Amino acid sequence: YIPAEMAAAPRVPETQDITRIERIGAHSHIRGLGLDDALEARMVSQGMVGQTNARRAAGVILKLIQEGKIAGRAVLIAGQPGSGKTAIAMGMAQALGADTPFTMLSGSEIYSLEMSRTEALSQGFRRSIGVRIKEETEIIEGEVVEIQIDKPASGSGEKRGKLTLKTTEMETIYDLGTKMIEGLQKEKVQAGDVITIDKASGKISKLGRSFTRARDYDAMGSSTKFVQCPEGELQKRKEVVHTVSLHEMDVINSRAQGFLALFAGDTGEIKPEIREQIDQKVSEWREEGKAEIVPGVLFIDEVHMLDVECYSYLNRALESPMAPVLVFATNRGITRIRGTNYKGPHGMPIDLLDRLLIISTEPYTEKELSQILHIRCEEEDVEMTDDAQELLTKIGTETSLRYAIHMITVASLVCSRRKGTEVDVQDIKRVYGLFSDVKRSTQYMIEYQNEFMFSEISQPDAEGGAQVEADAMATD
């Protein structure tokens, strides 16, 4: 036989440059809701600033979601633009973690999909309900003592070999076929590694290096993980948990190539019969103890963009036992309900509003604006002087928080052009002169509106108004 150390190519120090593609978004600095154990909001924590009452209310809802005591309920986060509504929703998503489904939709998004509006909402509901499926599988887990690979003398043919595994209590030799040898070589398994082998699929997973080999001379990187040698028998039964959403199960069972449709994104409309069969199967698994439901969150931003048909669907869907927790956000006051000629608070029907728990957000104070801008400077890796930050805070107070946040990166570019290391007051002033905010842009439009096409602002004097009316009649 040929020992594995001789059969494998000579090991050389291997460096892996792992590049993480991270883009800085509007809410990438949010890490959670910034609450303590008593659900009291810290003034500045986890990227959140201010809005203590709103965050405290969101924390109560979050706790109920985590304990599974709330389902089919809806929450509305209402407030003026730039008051942190989406930030609170993102904080809830971060606090829930990866195991709880969190689906984000925009109210206008459902109109651009190639399906009916109610079907788009149905798929959003189903994406937000997870199913945690439990199954037992047999595995072999142990520390590799030795790998022996026999190569045919002719150079061609099937490879054969032996694998010696041990635990703290026993040691066993296994015969290897071609598939297992290729799997071991692919995972770069060598003596001293702790591995698991799934008996059903033959999948090999490397858990790490054994602590007994920690002092061995080897070209190990800083990321090498050391684990204890497994105890007990080599063959064990292990419970494996898979979490999938109801929508993924719908798509996979709705067509022959359903699994590929998940990656393509072309799911199309799904028949109600398929969903009924899935729900029935999940109910059977729950009764047998093989699965449990994980109610998640469906977040619909700009909910006022939905029409009366969508609101009627939401009224009915909220009563379903398989409904997730809905979180809406809107910045509208009393305005027209889309699809009708009636007006309602936040552009929503009264009967749906009656089902909601409403969380109100408040405008940020100047001190809170300064803290938010400081956090954003750290997130965008921008060095800024105190005077420049004070000026930026004043601009944000007089214009809007979003405008001030947009100025951070642009001012940093202006600073780098003059070979500066810190953004100064002159950089903020230069950017303020280059880019207009909404108020200045509106004022410019009013002053020069006659120079633009299709201006709908009538002349203030009667003569001008008569001329506009005459032009309109001539056009008709």
Side-chain angles (χ1 to χ4, degrees), residues 21 29 162 267 351 357 381 393:
I21 301 175
H29 62 284
K162 293 183 182 296
T267 58
D351 57 342
L357 296 170
D381 198 19
T393 303

Side-chain angles (χ1 to χ4, degrees), residues 28 70 78 93 100 113 131 162 167 187 234 289 338 368 377 426:
S28 57
I70 185 170
T100 304
L113 301 174
V131 182
K162 293 183 182 296
T167 64
E187 293 292 327
L234 281 162
R338 189 165 181 169
E368 290 169 350
C377 286
Q426 59 178 328

Side-chain angles (χ1 to χ4, degrees), residues 287-316:
E287 292 175 1
E288 296 170 3
K290 294 181 179 178
E292 60 179 303
I293 298 295
V294 185
V297 177
L298 173 59
F299 174 58
I300 303 180
D301 203 0
E302 306 293 335
V303 69
H304 54 266
M305 293 299 295
L306 301 181
D307 62 7
V308 69
E309 179 185 347
C310 298
Y311 291 133
S312 299
Y313 172 81
L314 291 174
N315 270 328
R316 181 186 63 81

Side-chain angles (χ1 to χ4, degrees), residues 48-78:
M48 299 292 290
V49 177
Q51 304 294 352
T52 53
N53 290 333
R55 285 194 283 142
R56 194 182 299 120
V60 174
I61 300 297
L62 183 73
K63 200 70 175 176
L64 292 173
I65 296 170
Q66 291 172 334
E67 294 177 357
K69 293 182 179 179
I70 185 170
R73 305 289 178 86
V75 179
L76 174 65
I77 306 174

